[in-house]
Amino acid sequence: MAREKQPEAADAEGTPERSYREQLDFLNPIAQPLASRKLTRKLYKCIRKAAKHKQIRRGVKEVQKFINKGEKGITVLAGDTLPIDVYCHIPIMCEDRSLPYAYVPSKSDLGAAAGSKRPTCVIMIKPHEEYQESYDECLEEVAALPLPL
């Protein structure tokens, strides 16, 4: 049985990652405002720093709970999550509480940035003094994105 699993692991490592442009083909119709390629990289970098300091909320249930409690931060949603009913209420909650949010193209990349092997559809980045400069830069750019009508 162990012999069967080894070739699978080798195949998984050998598969090339999809580029930003290829990931755009799998987006949901509600994935607005979508972060640009440059902003997506900045958000992933900020998520990695926040995960190192345990300053992220991961998953729909946890993010929803802390938005309701009034916690502040940048909400990052994955644009390729299906079905969209799973998390379509999160942007509305963010708008009601005037929290910035943005979509990135891939849930697997979002999970990887958070230091997990598991794909994640929603992450909230909390501010922290260790990476405040990176956080403020991301916050400024996400807030500047146009909201959907």
Side-chain angles (χ1 to χ4, degrees), residues 3 54 56 62 127 135:
R3 291 182 185 170
K54 306 263 192 258
I56 60 169
E62 191 176 355
Y135 177 85

Side-chain angles (χ1 to χ4, degrees), residues 41-57:
R41 283 199 198 115
K42 285 182 186 177
L43 286 169
Y44 288 156
K45 188 175 180 182
C46 192
I47 289 169
R48 277 192 289 277
K49 289 177 182 178
K52 193 181 292 182
H53 297 287
K54 306 263 192 258
Q55 296 295 311
I56 60 169
R57 303 290 183 197

Side-chain angles (χ1 to χ4, degrees), residues 3-108:
R3 291 182 185 170
E4 292 175 19
K5 289 188 178 181
Q6 287 175 345
E8 289 176 22
D11 290 341
E13 290 174 344
T15 56
E17 289 191 20
R18 292 186 303 210
S19 70
Y20 182 85
R21 181 133 350 254
E22 291 169 339
Q23 290 173 350
L24 294 180
D25 298 335
F26 299 99
L27 284 180
N28 290 329
I30 66 163
Q32 293 294 327
L34 182 67
S36 66
R37 178 181 290 148
K38 189 175 179 182
L39 178 56
T40 299
R41 283 199 198 115
K42 285 182 186 177
L43 286 169
Y44 288 156
K45 188 175 180 182
C46 192
I47 289 169
R48 277 192 289 277
K49 289 177 182 178
K52 193 181 292 182
H53 297 287
K54 306 263 192 258
Q55 296 295 311
I56 60 169
R57 303 290 183 197
R58 182 182 330 182
V60 176
K61 199 172 179 183
E62 191 176 355
V63 169
Q64 180 178 335
K65 178 171 75 175
F66 285 98
I67 288 174
N68 283 333
K69 285 185 177 182
E71 197 167 274
K72 298 291 181 193
I74 303 170
T75 307
V76 183
L77 301 108
D80 62 348
T81 304
L82 287 174
I84 58 175
D85 301 338
V86 172
Y87 73 146
C88 63
H89 59 285
I90 300 285
I92 298 163
M93 292 172 66
C94 289
E95 287 175 12
D96 289 345
R97 290 162 182 80
S98 63
L99 293 174
Y101 69 95
Y103 285 87
V104 293
S106 172
K107 63 183 174 185
S108 55

